[in-house]
Amino acid sequence: MEKMKVDCPVCHAEKCMEVISRTEEIPYFGEIMESVVLCESCGYRHADIICLDQKDPVRYSIEVKKDSMNARVVKSQSATLSVPELGLKVEPGPKSLGYVSNVEGVIERFQGAVKTALNLFDDDEESQKNAKLILKNLEKVRSGDKIVEIVLEDPFGQSFIAHPNASKRELKPEEIKDLKTGFATFEQSEVD
Ligand SMILES: [Zn+2]
């Protein structure tokens, strides 16, 4: 693990952003670098995964069942994660983070995101009904009473699902066109 301090690109405070990175060898995938940046001054935080080997655009899918709950999932910042049967999709954006987890962890993150949405739109009856239904379904998925598919698409090939039952294929050019890349750009604000 390596640590260093750099200037923050967000608040421009000097040497207050800590950069922590570590590398790990993932079987059948390659060497990845996990990095976290955290600014002590403004609280900006960002985490990402970078695969150090050159990769092709890739699409993984896996059925969420009891025996695949522990399958390793590496999701980079540029990846789109979806559960088509439930209409759930997390697209890359400036706030999206890369992480290493497993299938159950991914479902847990979806639950967290839907709960957040539930609190955010608490005056919209239709959204509330919808979100509650999705939560109920996610609960069933976790207990094994409902089988859905998780799809992980990454135009930079930095993500993967490690499981014998996971299917993998290269993304088609027209699919790549429809994906967001989520590269963060910092808006320069002119405040002195
Ligand atoms: Zn800062």
Side-chain angles (χ1 to χ4, degrees), residues 40-138:
E40 286 162 6
S41 169
C42 70
Y44 177 82
R45 189 194 148 89
H46 193 79
D48 200 13
I49 307 279
I50 298 163
C51 178
L52 302 175
D53 305 328
Q54 186 72 39
K55 299 281 181 186
D56 293 323
V58 78
R59 180 189 189 276
Y60 284 90
S61 58
I62 190 167
E63 274 191 344
V64 183
K65 292 180 180 169
K66 281 232 156 71
D67 70 339
S68 61
M69 283 292 181
N70 283 323
R72 203 114 192 253
V73 177
V74 175
K75 180 207 166 288
S76 83
Q77 190 213 336
S78 57
T80 297
L81 248 181
S82 54
V83 183
E85 281 105 327
L86 300 182
L88 286 173
K89 191 187 236 182
V90 177
E91 294 184 306
K95 282 192 174 167
S96 62
L97 305 174
Y99 57 82
V100 180
S101 185
N102 57 21
V103 166
E104 188 169 28
V106 169
I107 297 296
E108 221 175 84
R109 277 168 189 266
F110 272 121
Q111 287 177 310
V114 176
K115 279 178 192 156
T116 305
L118 202 58
N119 293 330
L120 231 54
F121 305 110
D122 58 356
D123 52 346
D124 186 336
E125 217 174 288
E126 196 61 29
S127 303
Q128 289 278 305
K129 235 170 71 184
N130 226 329
K132 279 176 187 159
L133 183 66
I134 292 172
L135 276 181
K136 204 181 274 179
N137 279 321
L138 285 171

Side-chain angles (χ1 to χ4, degrees), residues 107-176:
I107 297 296
E108 221 175 84
R109 277 168 189 266
F110 272 121
Q111 287 177 310
V114 176
K115 279 178 192 156
T116 305
L118 202 58
N119 293 330
L120 231 54
F121 305 110
D122 58 356
D123 52 346
D124 186 336
E125 217 174 288
E126 196 61 29
S127 303
Q128 289 278 305
K129 235 170 71 184
N130 226 329
K132 279 176 187 159
L133 183 66
I134 292 172
L135 276 181
K136 204 181 274 179
N137 279 321
L138 285 171
E139 208 43 67
K140 282 186 193 164
V141 170
R142 279 188 82 174
S143 60
D145 296 329
K146 186 179 178 70
I147 292 167
V148 295
E149 196 181 49
I150 286 184
V151 179
L152 179 62
E153 295 166 291
D154 191 340
F156 302 103
Q158 304 275 300
S159 308
F160 91 126
I161 299 174
H163 196 272
N165 296 344
S167 33
K168 176 196 180 186
R169 66 164 170 82
E170 201 164 317
L171 280 169
K172 297 175 188 135
E174 63 266 29
E175 290 174 321
I176 296 171

Side-chain angles (χ1 to χ4, degrees), residues 7-13 16-17 38-44:
D7 297 350
C8 175
V10 181
C11 71
H12 305 293
C16 70
M17 181 174 264
L38 180 66
C39 176
E40 286 162 6
S41 169
C42 70
Y44 177 82

